[in-house]
Structure formats: structure tokens, C-alpha cells
Amino acid sequence: THCISSAASDVYKRQATDETKEIIGFPALKGGEFLKNDIQQLLADYQQQFLVEINHQNWRLNTDYHFGGYAKTSSELIDFVNDFYQNTLVKAYLNTPNGQLFYAHAQPDKAHVAIVISSGRIEGLDKYKELLWELYTNNFAVFIVDHQGQGRSYRYLKNKHKGYVNNFGDYSADLNLFNTQIVDTVWQGKKLLVSHSMGGAIAFDYLANYEHSFSGAFLSAPMFDIHTKGIPKPLARIIASNAVRLGFQFSYALGQT
């Protein structure tokens, strides 16, 4: 089943009757020409449902960027990404009261919007190389920071494989520090907050508790709940809180090693 996302649909609604705009799609699948018929049908259905005139000629699919199939790459693409990471992306450390946070940023000459990324659990900014490159080459300024306890940022525990934070609010405090001391110092234009998984929960907590100037936020699969593997949540909370009271806050959760 193929569909146009609600976000993409909203974009098309705004541009459908604009003769000066063109929408270009890039299928990730090899042989993505079949999507043209699907799109034509969706446009026809949309036109009939909402009784609007649609310019059926202001869009096209470029099917030459699949690199041989879904999720495949080429050595040329990898070289472009690595060159950007090594020679264009500015990487440094931000001092905090508890340790240093590793971060990176880059601003193309024609940047019109900045994207600030709050990554997920155990994700260092190295994992976002290609996304950062893609955004940069499309004239977005990019900013990203490794949360405490992961990537190249500081850790409380000697065992670097353990995820630990004194208080979840410390993550959003770090994000606020990064935003005020780095992002707002380097960039004075429009900015959006993009987040994933645990980074979505951090972004949500930050937006709810700190003054900010973000124009919008995108939360991808935000971690708004924890899977307790069949243990009722009230019981799980009791077990976790008692474990902390007994001094096991630095240990793995029950059943984990």
C-alpha cells in the first residue's frame, strides 16, 4: 500500500494551484515509476473530494537516486558524506556544570532555516552524518548535540555502556544550554526542533519547561512511555523507586545485564 503522508498532503494542498511552484519526488525504491499512476489517482480523488482545480503538471518523480535499491548507497555518496563530516561540519565541546557535551553545526551560505536535532537513546551525532549532509545540501543550517551519557559527551558512570541520568530533566537542561549558548549565538533566524525516540521526550520536556524561539517541532516516535514487559506499570514504578532507595540506582534494571 502506498500513500502520501499527511505532511506531504498538506504541502500539496498549499501548492496545488500555484503555477510558480514545482513538487519533485524521489522514490527510495528501484523501479519507482509505478508510483506515478498512484499519485495521479490520489490527485484525481483529491480534486473530486474537495472540488478544487489542481495543476497536474507541476510535479514530477526523479527515479535516478535509489542507488540500486531501497537503503542502498554508493561509494560516491559515502565520500560526499564523509568529506562534509570531516571538513565542513564544525565539531566542539560545550562546558556544563557536570561535564562536556559534544556538538556539531554547519551553516550553508543560503540557509533560510536551522534544524536543531535531539537524537535518540545511545545515538551519537556520527549516526546522523547522512541526514546532516542532506539537510545542509538543501540549504538548512544544522545543529546537533550528543546527550549526556552517550556519543562523545560526558558520562556519570565508569561503565560507558550503562545509561544513567540523575534526573530526566537534566537532559532538557542540557538542551536549553546548547540552544542558548551555541545555536542562538551562531544562528539568528527561523529554527525548527527535530527529535527522535528518547530525544522526542527530551524535546517535549524542553518545550514545556523553557522559554524558546522555535517556530515548530517534529517528534519522531517520541518516547512517551516505557514498555514494562507484562509487569503492571504501578508495580514497575514501585520496584524502580524501591531499587533507588536501596542504592541500586547505578545498577542495570532487573532482568538486564
Side-chain angles (χ1 to χ4, degrees), residues 117-156:
I117 298 174
S118 175
S119 58
R121 171 71 189 130
I122 72 171
E123 291 183 339
L125 64 86
D126 297 58
K127 183 177 180 180
Y128 286 76
K129 280 184 183 180
E130 185 174 349
L131 176 60
L132 295 171
W133 172 77
E134 288 276 6
L135 291 170
Y136 179 87
T137 55
N138 282 280
N139 289 322
F140 289 97
V142 291
F143 295 84
I144 186 169
V145 61
D146 285 350
H147 301 301
Q148 59 173 278
Q150 55 195 59
R152 293 184 177 89
S153 290
Y154 73 93
R155 288 162 167 75
Y156 274 103

